[in-house]
């Protein structure tokens, strides 16, 4: 009897991840191209390493599923004990078994001379949770460069193979989110431009991965949360970036000059009135930040070509992969992913972004 119970427990432990997180949560992308992906790690003048997860159109007829995590998933923490624990739980038992419809290191499509580029900046602490958007954009003919920001993600692998965690100054600053957003958004915006420098360089380098494949007249930025704020800042400051999409990023940022008259911006908001934090001391801080955010959006709208769309059934986390990669029953109990079907929302918002980028 004891042996039988032990077997049942072992089977339950093995099966639990497959109940919590489906193996194939991502549908086939809706565009005309198959999708390839590559993980690149670059040195930059002021950073010792930036991981770029590149998604791109490919002509390969049969795309084989690949790991959701890749190299980026191996960089959860620089702490040895924590890293081993995260690798066991996430890389192997949970996120490790997720497969996505993209082939690793396949050739970039030769069916057209060049492709538009989307530089995608992740939210604070995250580095691989926007794969749905990357897949959709790439299948519609965009080269998508997903940026893992050193010191701003939970952990980042450097060129030499070592790892760095989140900067202590940043983690300590979580207690003062209004000041933190300003600092991080500007830092990530600078790193977006650094990555664009490398993309442009590769585009003009013979036999490089992006050799003559980038349409330098169509460079766009996008991001979620702080990454969305950073995409607006980068677009405003960098003349090479013509448009930016912000998925629910905040604007209580004092250092920003809202005078980007020649640029186009799209802001997709969650229902912040319905899906917000509650209670106690944190509520007054939150209310103050939201009031400042509304004022900043109004200031931005009065100075630039800004389109604002509110997704009434979406929460802040609805724009991530999480609502797809967590069992629907569990995600409803968590209650942080809004009241809409996650696939419908992600499909709708990605289509809106693609139309925005393609509109002349």
């Amino acid at each position: 009897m004891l042996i039988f119970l032990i077997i049942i427990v072992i089977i339950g432990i093995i099966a639990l991840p497959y109940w919590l997180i489906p193996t194939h949560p991502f549908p086939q992308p809706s565009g005309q191209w198959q999708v390839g992906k590559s993980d690149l790690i670059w040195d930059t003048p002021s950073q010792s390493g930036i991981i770029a997860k590149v998604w791109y159109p490919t002509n390969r007829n049969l795309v084989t599923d690949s790991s959701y995590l890749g190299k980026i998933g191996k960089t959860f923490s620089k702490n040895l004990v924590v890293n081993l624990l995260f690798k066991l739980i996430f890389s192997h038992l949970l996120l490790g078994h997720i497969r996505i419809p993209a082939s690793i290191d396949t050739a970039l499509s030769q069916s057209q001379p060049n492709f538009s580029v989307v530089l995608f900046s992740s939210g604070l602490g995250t580095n691989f949770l926007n794969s749905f958007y990357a897949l959709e954009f790439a299948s519609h003919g965009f080269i998508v460069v997903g940026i893992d920001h050193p010191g701003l993600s939970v952990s980042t692998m450097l060129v030499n193979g070592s790892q760095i965690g989140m900067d202590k100054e940043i983690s300590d600053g979580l207690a003062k989110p209004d000041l933190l957003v300003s600092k991080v958004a500007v830092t990530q915006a600078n790193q977006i431009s650094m990555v664009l420098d490398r993309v442009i360089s590769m585009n003009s380098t013979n036999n490089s991965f992006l050799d003559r494949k980038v349409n330098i007249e169509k460079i766009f930025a996008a991001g979620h949360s702080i990454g969305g704020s950073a995409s607006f800042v980068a677009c405003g400051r960098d003349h090479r970036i013509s448009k930016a999409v912000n998925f629910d990023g905040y604007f209580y940022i004092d250092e920003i000059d809202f005078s980007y008259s020649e640029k186009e911006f799209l802001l997709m908001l969650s229902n912040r009135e319905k899906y917000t934090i509650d209670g106690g001391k944190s509520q007054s801080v939150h209310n103050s930040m939201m009031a400042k955010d509304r004022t900043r959006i109004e200031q931005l709208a009065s100075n630039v070509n800004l389109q604002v769309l509110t997704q009434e059934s979406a929460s802040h986390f609805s724009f991530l992969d999480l609502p797809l990669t967590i069992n629907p029953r569990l995600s409803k109990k968590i209650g942080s992913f809004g009241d809409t079907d996650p696939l419908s929302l992600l499909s709708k918002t990605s289509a809106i972004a693609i139309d925005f980028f393609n509109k002349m």
Side-chain angles (χ1 to χ4, degrees), residues 27-40:
Q28 286 292 328
S30 64
Q32 69 184 85
W33 278 279
Q34 302 287 351
V35 178
K37 68 169 186 170
S38 295
D39 288 333
L40 305 177

Side-chain angles (χ1 to χ4, degrees), residues 294-320:
R294 287 191 294 271
T295 299
R296 288 294 190 186
I297 291 174
E298 291 172 1
Q299 291 175 339
L300 185 61
S302 66
N303 286 281
V304 304
N305 185 349
L306 172 67
Q307 180 180 2
V308 181
L309 299 176
T310 299
Q311 306 300 318
E312 297 293 343
S313 299
S315 75
H316 185 64
F317 302 105
S318 298
F319 302 96
L320 295 172

Side-chain angles (χ1 to χ4, degrees), residues 2-18:
L2 179 59
I3 295 177
F4 176 75
L5 290 175
I6 292 174
I7 293 174
I8 293 297
V9 170
I10 292 174
I11 292 175
I13 292 174
I14 295 174
L16 182 61
Y18 294 87

Side-chain angles (χ1 to χ4, degrees), residues 229-277:
S229 305
S231 74
F232 271 25
V233 177
C235 182
R237 291 182 170 184
D238 194 322
H239 70 277
R240 300 169 296 182
I241 305 173
S242 60
K243 296 183 180 182
V245 174
N246 179 343
F247 295 101
D248 210 36
Y250 296 94
F251 286 98
Y252 29 85
I253 304 173
D254 292 323
E255 296 91 338
I256 306 308
D257 174 16
F258 294 105
S259 58
Y260 314 139
S261 58
E262 75 281 8
K263 304 300 180 72
E264 294 183 55
F265 301 86
L266 171 61
L267 174 59
M268 280 192 262
L269 296 175
S270 64
N271 188 335
R272 294 177 177 176
E273 298 298 324
K274 183 175 183 179
Y275 304 103
T276 185
I277 60 175

